């Protein structure tokens, strides 16, 4: 069992004609990880994460023409409760170091969503359930038996869309 605090960079990949992605937002995520070793170098990883997701969006020309856009640019942020399920493969120990890679999926529930002016966004405009694929690589430094400091680069790619749109 381990605690995690991680910086994150979040953006929206938008797939409808009225808005498009307009930048990245720096965020912070936290959680609890649980590792179950089913082989010396393979583990099942799960846990609970609180993720800050969001990004900047701007209306497309279609939205401006149809007067759908109230503002030229706006940013959104949301808090997600995520349950990841991953398989981790790691190297043998070299001195105090081990290296690993992991892959899997996450399911999440959006707890709240707000715009850049701290206005609550109505649930009819976003999906409350999210799914993602997760890929990561990293290293762990053994401090003591069953105690390590871990550094990881992780990518969470959305399978489901945050925004709801019929277009």
């Amino acid at each position: 069992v381990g605690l995690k605090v991680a910086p994150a960079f979040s953006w929206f990949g938008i797939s409808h004609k009225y808005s498009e992605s307009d930048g990245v937002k720096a965020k912070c995520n936290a959680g609890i990880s649980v590792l179950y070793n089913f082989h010396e170098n393979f583990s099942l990883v799960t846990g609970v994460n609180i993720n800050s997701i969001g990004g900047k969006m701007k209306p497309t020309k279609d939205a401006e023409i149809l007067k759908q856009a109230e503002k030229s640019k706006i940013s959104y942020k949301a808090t997600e409760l995520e349950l990841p399920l991953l398989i981790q493969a790691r190297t043998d120990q070299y001195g105090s170091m081990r290296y690993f890679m992991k892959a899997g999926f996450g399911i999440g529930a959006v707890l709240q969503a707000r715009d850049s002016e701290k206005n609550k966004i109505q649930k009819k405009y976003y999906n409350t359930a999210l799914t993602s694929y997760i890929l990561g690589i990293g290293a762990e430094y053994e401090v003591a038996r069953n105690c390590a400091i871990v550094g990881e680069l992780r990518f969470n790619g959305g399978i489901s869309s945050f925004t709801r749109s019929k277009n």
Side-chain angles (χ1 to χ4, degrees):
V1 177
L3 298 175
K4 94 173 189 180
V5 176
F9 298 97
S10 180
W11 67 91
F12 288 119
I14 299 168
S15 61
H16 57 82
K17 66 181 181 178
Y18 294 119
S19 56
E20 59 189 26
S21 184
D22 191 40
V24 175
K25 300 239 355 156
K27 303 284 187 180
C28 185
N29 298 336
I32 297 172
S33 286
V34 178
L35 221 73
Y36 171 72
N37 297 319
F38 59 87
H39 183 273
E40 183 179 343
N41 292 335
F42 293 94
S43 306
L44 183 64
V45 182
T46 190
V48 177
N49 298 325
I50 302 289
N51 296 332
S52 295
I53 58 175
K56 298 176 185 175
M57 288 193 270
K58 66 180 178 183
T60 61
K61 292 192 187 316
D62 288 336
E64 290 171 1
I65 290 167
L66 295 172
K67 306 244 186 267
Q68 298 286 327
E70 295 176 15
K71 299 174 183 159
S72 61
K73 293 183 182 182
I74 194 161
S75 63
Y76 294 96
K77 64 180 182 176
T79 304
E80 174 199 30
L81 180 69
E82 180 192 46
L83 302 172
L85 183 60
L86 305 117
I87 298 290
Q88 175 176 291
R90 62 186 187 171
T91 64
D92 291 329
Q93 192 164 337
Y94 299 104
S96 297
M97 297 293 294
R98 284 187 151 201
Y99 303 94
F100 63 85
M101 61 183 193
K102 56 176 79 168
F105 297 94
I107 56 170
V110 177
L111 304 177
Q112 69 173 349
R114 296 189 181 277
D115 66 18
S116 54
E117 296 177 354
K118 309 239 188 270
N119 297 316
K120 226 176 182 180
I121 302 169
Q122 295 178 20
K123 289 185 180 181
K124 68 181 181 180
Y125 295 116
Y126 65 90
N127 291 313
T128 55
L130 300 176
T131 55
S132 64
Y133 62 92
I134 302 168
L135 302 170
I137 59 170
E140 59 184 61
Y141 176 76
E142 187 176 307
V143 178
R145 185 178 145 109
N146 294 327
C147 182
I149 296 173
V150 178
E152 177 181 1
L153 270 169
R154 180 185 282 195
F155 179 80
N156 281 35
I159 295 171
S160 58
S161 176
F162 175 75
T163 57
R164 285 190 181 174
S165 175
K166 294 180 180 153
N167 300 308

